[in-house]
Amino acid sequence: MLEIRDLSYCYPDAEKPSLTGVSLNAGRGKILGLLGPNGAGKTTLISHLSGILQVQHGAILIDGSPLAVVRRKAPTRIAVAPQEYAFYPMLTVKENLECFAAAGRLGGERKRRRIVECLAFSRLERFVKIRAERLSGGLKRRLNLAIALLPEPELILLDEPTVGVDPQSRAFLLDAVKMIANSGAAVIYTSHYMDEIEAIADRVVILDDGKILRDGTLDELLRDGVAHMRLAVEGVPADEMNALLGRYGKVESVGEEWRVTLAHDRTPAELLAAVEKLGGRLKYVEFGRNNLEQLFMALTHRPLRD
C-alpha cells in the first residue's frame, strides 16, 4: 500500500539532513516495526506520512498515487495515534469520540456505528461518561487508539502506543494492533521496546542518522548465526574467568555476570566443561542467538542520545 522512494528532508538552517535516501514499503495486513534512537529521523518520517511536512526530495506513494493527492481526496485513509495524548481532557470518552468522528467527516448512522465499534474494540464501554483527564494511563492510550480508528483508516501510524501503561494494558494494546493488521490495514509501529517489535512486527526497519541501516523480517535481520552465552560463576577469581572465557569468544563482564559471544568453532558444552574443570560452580547460564536489542545496539552504538 505504502511506498517511500528515496525520501530526503532537511529542516531550515539545519547542519545536515534529517532523512537521507529513505526507501521502504508497508503492505496491507502487515505490521512494520520502525526502530531508531532519539534523533534518528523517526519523527520526521512520521510527520511526512501524517501530512505535517511536505516532500522535499523523493516520493511517498499510496497505492501508486502521490501522498499529497491522496490526502486531498481522502484524508482519513491515514490515521495517527501519537505518543502524546491526542484528545480533549475536559470532555468525556464519548464526547471525544463524537468530536473526532465529526472532524473525520463521519455522520448519521456511520458515525453512530463507528463510535459503538471503537468503544467495543478498545473496551471503553464502561467509561463513556468519564472525563478523559480522569482516565488511567492505559485507558488514555486506548482512547488514543479508538479515536485514530474511527474513520477506518487503511494506514495507521502508532507512535510509542504503550508508553506509561501497566502490563495488562500493554498486552491488550499489542493484541489490538495485531487485530488491526489482521483486518487488512497497514500498520507502522514505532517503539523503544524491542520485545514489542519482536512480538508483533512482520518486518523491521532500523533507522539512524536519517538513513535506513536494516530492513527485513526478523529472521532475515537475526540470521547471523552468532551464539551468545550469559553465565554467573562462583569459586573462580575474575581474572581467571576472563582468561578462560576469552579462549571461547568475545567476553564482557557486567556485575557478577559474564557475557560471551562464542567463536564459530566453539560450543556451549565445551565452555561449560572448561568452567567445571577449573572448579567453577554455575549459579545460572543462558544460551541463545542474537536478538533484536543486541543487533540494534551494535548498529546504533551505545552513546546516550538526547
Side-chain angles (χ1 to χ4, degrees), residues 21-22 158 169 230 237 263:
V22 170
L158 302 174
S169 293
R230 299 171 56 197

Side-chain angles (χ1 to χ4, degrees), residues 242 244-251 259-263 266 271:
N242 189 63
L244 171 67
L245 297 177
R247 300 202 297 266
Y248 293 85
K250 182 180 177 182
V251 181
R259 301 178 182 180
V260 184
T261 302
L262 290 175
R266 294 293 194 172
L271 186 151

Side-chain angles (χ1 to χ4, degrees), residues 219-242:
D219 284 344
E220 291 170 344
L221 296 185
L222 303 181
R223 198 182 293 156
D224 64 1
V226 177
H228 302 270
M229 291 188 70
R230 299 171 56 197
L231 63 159
V233 178
E234 294 179 330
V236 180
D239 56 345
E240 293 184 32
M241 274 298 299
N242 189 63

